[in-house]
Amino acid sequence: AQSVAQPEDQVNVAEGNPLTVKCTYSVSGNPYLFWYVQYPNRGLQFLLKYITGDNLVKGSYGFEAEFNKSQTSFHLKKPSALVSDSALYFCAVRDPTKRGGSQGNLIFGKGTKLSVKP
Amino acid sequence: NAGVMQNPRHLVRRRGQEARLRCSPMKGHSHVYWYRQLPEEGLKFMVYLQKENIIDESGMPKERFSAEFPKEGPSILRIQQVVRGDSAAYFCASSPGGGMPTGETQYFGPGTRLLVL
C-alpha cells in the first residue's frame, strides 16, 4: 500500500541555520512527490514537486528537496531558516502506476511542525 | 487569477443537520479534489471529480456524504445528518486537467472548518 512517513512531529531550528524536514515514502512504482506548507488556519501552499529528472528539486521561498530512490526519501531542505518559515509542512505522494480514478489522489504524511526561533 | 475559493470558511451545525461546503476551482481547472483534515493529522483524500463526473470516491464514507461538480457552478460536498465526528477542516483542491493527473500540481483552497455541536 502507498504511504508517506514524516518521522518527526516537530523540528526546531535557530534562525539562519540550515533546516531539514524528513519524508520517506512507500509506493509500488516510481513516485511523484510533493511538499506543501500550511500556515495556521490557512490552506496548503505548494512548495515543490519531483516528477522525473534531476534528483534535486528547487521550489518556492528558497526551499529544495532531494529525491533519493535507494533510501526512498524526499527530504525538504533550506540553507538558512527564517522565523517566517515556521509552519506545518506536509509531504505527499502519488503512485503513477495506479490506473483509473485513484491515480489522481495524493497520500499525505501527518505533517511536521517547523519552529524557527530568532 | 483568483485561487481556489471555498465557502463558508467556518460552519457550525448541530447534530442531525446538513452541511453544504462549496468549492470554486481556479480558473481553467476542471479537476476537483476534496480532502478532510482531522485535528493533529494530515489530509485524507475523500473524492476526485471532473465536471459532471465522480472519478474516484474511494475515500468517502459510504453513508451521509456526497459530492458533485456540476457543469455550471461550484463543486459541493454535502454531509447529511452530521455527527460530532464530522468536525474537521475540509479542503478542496483543483488541478488543470486535460492530461494525466498524476504529475499535476493540486492547488488548495483555504478550507472550511466544520464544527458539529
Side-chain angles (χ1 to χ4, degrees), chain B residues 49-63:
Chain B
L49 309 105
Q50 297 176 15
K51 287 281 188 181
E52 300 184 281
N53 280 307
I54 297 175
I55 306 302
D56 178 7
E57 56 182 348
S58 59
M60 286 271 274
K62 293 289 185 279
E63 297 179 350

Side-chain angles (χ1 to χ4, degrees), chain A residues 32 34 36 38 41-44 46 49 51 90 94 96 101-106 108-110, chain B residues 9 33 35 37 41-43 45 48 55-56 91 100-106 108-110 113:
Chain A
Y32 290 173
F34 302 78
Y36 287 85
Q38 185 181 30
N41 297 315
R42 303 280 295 277
L44 276 67
F46 170 72
K49 68 180 178 183
I51 303 298
F90 290 99
R94 274 207 201 103
S102 59
Q103 64 185 276
N105 68 67
L106 289 167
F108 281 88
K110 288 191 172 183
Chain B
R9 295 290 303 275
Y33 311 80
Y35 293 82
Q37 183 180 34
E41 291 192 17
L43 280 72
F45 168 76
Y48 163 33
I55 306 302
D56 178 7
F91 290 96
M100 292 291 286
T102 47
E104 290 187 340
T105 299
Q106 293 181 13
F108 283 78
R113 281 151 184 84

Side-chain angles (χ1 to χ4, degrees), chain B residues 6 13 22 27 29 31 44 52 68 71 90 93 100:
Chain B
Q6 289 187 251
R13 287 287 178 266
R22 294 173 182 77
K27 187 177 181 180
H29 285 193
H31 292 193
K44 302 292 186 186
E52 300 184 281
E68 62 177 10
K71 186 176 180 180
Y90 292 82
M100 292 291 286

Side-chain angles (χ1 to χ4, degrees), chain A residues 1-69:
Chain A
Q2 303 171 77
S3 66
V4 175
Q6 293 182 243
E8 302 156 315
D9 291 336
Q10 181 153 346
V11 171
N12 299 311
V13 297
E15 187 175 32
N17 283 1
L19 69 87
T20 299
V21 183
K22 296 180 180 177
C23 172
T24 59
Y25 63 88
S26 175
V27 299
S28 54
N30 291 319
Y32 290 173
L33 294 153
F34 302 78
W35 274 103
Y36 287 85
V37 59
Q38 185 181 30
Y39 296 98
N41 297 315
R42 303 280 295 277
L44 276 67
Q45 295 180 29
F46 170 72
L47 281 178
L48 51 79
K49 68 180 178 183
Y50 171 81
I51 303 298
T52 187
D54 194 348
N55 289 346
L56 183 63
V57 179
K58 294 190 182 295
S60 306
Y61 313 119
F63 285 93
E64 60 188 28
E66 185 166 12
F67 171 61
N68 187 317
K69 188 172 183 178

